[in-house]
């Protein structure tokens, strides 16, 4: 079956975005360039780009161009946060100390993350600091099949979450937020007493149907806050 040209253009760029060939923030060719490449009218190109924007895959900026976007969590006006950037915005010095980095398989992942038992994963654990004081503990699994480059990534001074946001496009995320007490090991990492109240954030992300990462983060009570805007009138920012 022959697809309409605007649909073929849309599929071409959707495939490149979801495969990671076009990274978040990458600029797409201009409309004039696409018109010449596909030998089509501006209306055809505009229809394809509009469909990509509606799907949350690109961000169209007036007079600036079209860029690969980071789609938002469904039904929430809350993006996946870059903790390092947030700490820096508060005028504090940020660092991430990696304590564990090892390869394993899906059968060894947390039961909350449903991945194939044989899929190779990278397990990461570390602590986030602001002005030298720990404020969050993190335990993460990353699908190496989906993100093979992470095996060679350097997390000196930067967190796995920051690296993923900069290198891997995602299309869907699921967040689960609860309150919990720090275990003995978590308390040692955070320099608090065992049982200290913490905000627990568990998040899973996908690229299409492919799982990318699962992370569990514990924030010391009073050291971090999550803000989301809800409702049909909530503005979704790029």
């Amino acid at each position: 079956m022959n697809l309409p040209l605007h649909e073929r253009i849309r599929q071409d760029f959707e495939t490149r975005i979801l495969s990671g060939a076009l990274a978040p923030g990458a600029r797409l060719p201009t409309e004039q360039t696409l018109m010449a490449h596909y030998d089509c009218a501006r209306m055809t190109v505009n229809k394809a780009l509009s469909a990509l924007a509606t799907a949350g895959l690109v961000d169209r900026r007036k007079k600036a161009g079209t860029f690969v976007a980071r789609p938002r969590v469904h039904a929430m006006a809350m993006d996946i946060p870059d903790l390092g950037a947030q700490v820096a915005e508060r005028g504090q010095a940020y660092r991430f100390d990696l304590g564990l980095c090892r390869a394993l398989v899906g059968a060894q992942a947390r039961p909350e993350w449903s991945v194939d038992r044989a899929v190779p994963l990278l397990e990461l654990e570390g602590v986030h600091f602001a002005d030298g004081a720990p404020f969050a503990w993190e335990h993460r699994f990353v699908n190496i099949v989906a993100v093979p480059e992470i095996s060679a990534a350097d997390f000196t001074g930067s967190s796995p979450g920051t690296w993923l946001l900069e290198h891997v496009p995602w299309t869907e995320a699921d967040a689960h937020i609860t309150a919990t007490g720090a275990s003995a090991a978590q308390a040692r990492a955070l320099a608090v007493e065992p049982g200290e109240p913490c905000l627990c954030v568990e998040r899973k992300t996908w690229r299409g149907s492919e799982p990318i990462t699962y992370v569990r983060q514990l924030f010391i009570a009073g050291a971090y806050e999550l803000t989301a805007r809800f409702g049909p009138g909530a503005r979704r920012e790029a």
Side-chain angles (χ1 to χ4, degrees), residues 17-193:
I17 292 169
L18 295 183
S19 69
L22 285 173
R27 183 174 180 173
L28 273 63
T30 64
E31 290 188 4
Q32 290 80 2
T33 301
L34 292 174
M35 289 163 59
H37 179 77
Y38 288 97
D39 189 22
C40 65
R42 183 185 297 273
M43 183 180 297
T44 301
V45 169
N46 186 64
K47 196 169 183 179
L49 295 179
S50 295
L52 290 168
T54 299
L57 294 175
V58 301
D59 172 24
R60 304 186 74 184
R61 304 174 192 170
K62 191 174 182 179
K63 296 184 179 180
T66 303
F67 300 82
V68 178
R70 297 189 182 99
R72 300 299 193 256
V73 179
H74 291 310
M76 287 188 70
M78 183 175 71
D79 202 355
I80 292 180
D82 182 341
L83 296 183
Q86 290 182 335
V87 169
E89 287 173 0
R90 296 201 301 261
Q92 296 177 294
Y94 172 81
R95 84 169 193 268
F96 177 80
D97 286 359
L98 183 66
L100 173 67
C101 180
R102 66 172 180 171
L104 37 71
V105 293
Q108 297 169 282
R110 290 182 64 89
E112 294 88 347
W113 200 36
S114 299
V115 293
D116 187 89
R117 293 177 59 84
V119 70
L121 305 176
L122 189 66
E123 182 183 23
L124 302 155
E125 186 176 304
V127 180
H128 301 265
F129 291 79
D131 283 346
F135 71 93
W137 168 91
E138 175 174 311
H139 185 208
R140 181 184 296 270
F141 297 101
V142 182
N143 181 353
I144 296 177
V145 173
V147 194
E149 302 87 352
I150 199 167
S151 297
D154 181 8
F155 301 119
T156 304
S158 180
S159 73
T162 296
W163 187 94
L164 286 166
L165 285 172
E166 292 175 347
H167 293 85
V168 183
W170 56 276
T171 59
E172 186 177 356
D174 175 80
H176 183 61
I177 303 169
T178 57
T180 189
S183 68
Q186 293 160 353
R188 284 195 298 271
L190 293 170
V192 296
E193 293 296 321

